[in-house]
């Protein structure tokens, strides 16, 4: 069964403008990694915007767990669908507050497990205040901030993780963390990534190729290379 489906979705950013995506139908399985691949302007980010309800479709429907997206409360939606951007902002406060963000009930073990997965365990242990360190740009680098955002997603154990994957410009540790988090969440939930090139998503279970707002092909990496 699908966790999520797009049924003939067309969306535009302004009335009368050209559609950003047109007649897109997608099935995102409950478990596994689905990658959306395509050049700049193909409509990848628009898919995420629709899922996050930053944008509403003109026609067609999005359905999550059998319920149309508009019928979900935003609070429920934000718990189920978590977005890690290329440059995810952190909330002002301590590292612990950032990791617990919308899931205050997570235990200490889950936090350290997530920090280990994103290669931040040693770093946090070396901080004088540990998890209670107040975050500032003086304390953490860009790559570390990205890894904190990934750890936060792991702690929340989302049903669906949206990831803007641009591993090309990430440092090695952060790239490893991205792959680890994708693999972990894809074991029990759905991971949806966007990428420019097929070569960066070899591990995806399903690849959807988007071009000029429309689905051009879908299948496994092997299947798409064979038919391209
Ligand atoms: P796309 O939406 O197809 O990823 P964009 O036009 O947004 O393309 O991005 C153009 C270039 O800028 C790409 O190489 C992309 O990796 C990079 N880029 C996009 N967003 C960010 C970001 N938030 N931080 C760093 N680089 C980014
Ligand atoms: P991708 O993520 O694949 O680069 P986008 O989903 O960002 O593609 O863009 C799809 C189309 O929608 C493009 O033609 C783009 O110019 C347009 N678009 C994206 N964001 C906006 C916006 N905020 N306002 C108007 N048009 C937009």
């Amino acid at each position: 069964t699908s966790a999520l489906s797009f049924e003939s979705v067309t969306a535009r950013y302004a009335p009368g403008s050209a559609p950003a995506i047109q007649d897109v139908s997608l099935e995102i399985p409950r478990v596994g990694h689905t990658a959306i691949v395509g050049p700049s302007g193909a409509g990848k980010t628009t898919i995420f915007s629709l899922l996050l309800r930053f944008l509403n479709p003109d026609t067609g429907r999005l359905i999550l767990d059998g319920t149309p997206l508009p019928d979900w409360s935003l609070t429920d939606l934000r718990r189920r669908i978590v977005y890690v951007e290329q440059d995810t902002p952190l909330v002002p406060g301590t590292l612990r507050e950032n990791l617990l963000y919308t899931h205050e009930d997570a235990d200490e073990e889950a936090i350290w497990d997530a920090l280990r997965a994103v290669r931040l365990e040693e770093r946090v242990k070396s901080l004088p205040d540990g998890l209670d360190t107040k975050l500032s740009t003086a304390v953490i680098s860009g790559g570390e901030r990205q890894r904190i955002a990934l750890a936060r997603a792991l702690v929340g154990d989302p049903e669906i993780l949206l990831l803007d994957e641009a591993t090309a410009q990430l440092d090695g540790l952060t790239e490893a963390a991205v792959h680890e988090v994708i693999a972990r969440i894809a074991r029990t939930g759905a991971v949806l990534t966007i990428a420019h090139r097929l070569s960066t998503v070899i591990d995806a279970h399903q690849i959807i190729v988007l071009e000029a707002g429309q689905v051009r092909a879908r299948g496994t990496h092997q299947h798409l290379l064979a038919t391209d």
Side-chain angles (χ1 to χ4, degrees):
T1 58
S2 295
L4 185 69
S5 52
F6 279 59
E7 295 179 351
S8 306
V9 174
T10 295
R12 21 173 85 72
Y13 286 90
S17 67
I21 63 164
Q22 191 168 13
D23 198 25
V24 166
S25 294
L26 304 174
E27 298 283 341
I28 312 297
R30 206 167 283 286
V31 171
H33 175 194
T34 297
I36 300 177
V37 176
S40 249
K44 305 182 297 293
T45 310
T46 302
I47 301 273
F48 279 10
S49 300
L50 288 160
L51 282 170
L52 295 163
R53 264 172 49 190
F54 296 156
L55 181 70
N56 292 315
D58 278 11
T59 57
R61 302 199 302 169
L62 282 82
I63 297 178
L64 172 66
D65 291 336
T67 302
L69 220 59
D71 294 346
W72 288 93
S73 76
L74 269 187
T75 311
D76 277 348
L77 204 61
R78 298 280 179 263
R79 239 178 247 132
R80 285 185 163 73
I81 305 183
V82 165
Y83 178 34
V84 176
E85 297 168 73
Q86 283 181 18
D87 213 354
T88 302
L90 297 176
V91 297
T94 64
L95 181 56
R96 185 192 301 276
E97 283 163 347
N98 269 278
L99 291 170
L100 294 181
Y101 197 42
T102 54
H103 20 273
E104 329 41 38
D105 46 350
D107 59 27
E108 201 78 2
E109 200 179 305
I111 296 178
W112 285 106
D113 183 54
L115 288 173
R116 235 185 329 274
V118 302
R119 280 75 172 164
L120 276 178
E121 184 187 29
E122 296 310 318
R123 174 85 168 100
V124 175
K125 281 184 174 162
S126 76
L127 295 169
D129 295 322
L131 284 173
D132 298 309
T133 302
K134 282 232 182 284
L135 293 185
S136 70
T137 48
V139 180
I140 53 160
S141 68
E144 286 168 347
R145 189 172 54 189
Q146 179 84 357
R147 276 180 274 148
I148 292 169
L150 289 164
R152 170 198 289 164
L154 270 184
V155 171
D157 193 20
E159 197 174 316
I160 301 173
L161 173 69
L162 308 182
L163 204 61
D164 198 331
E165 199 192 20
T167 42
Q169 63 217 350
L170 300 177
D171 61 82
L173 274 180
T174 305
E175 185 175 344
V178 165
H179 288 285
E180 175 76 16
V181 168
I182 291 174
R184 283 201 185 203
I185 294 188
R187 262 181 240 148
T188 54
V191 179
L192 192 56
T193 58
I194 55 183
H196 284 95
R197 285 164 297 119
L198 211 50
S199 58
T200 61
V201 290
I202 294 170
D203 298 336
H205 304 106
Q206 176 186 215
I207 296 173
I208 292 161
V209 179
L210 211 59
E211 262 174 48
Q214 292 183 296
V215 176
R216 289 284 178 237
R218 59 185 97 206
T220 61
H221 190 258
Q222 242 178 340
H223 165 84
L224 290 173
L225 284 183
T227 54
D228 195 8

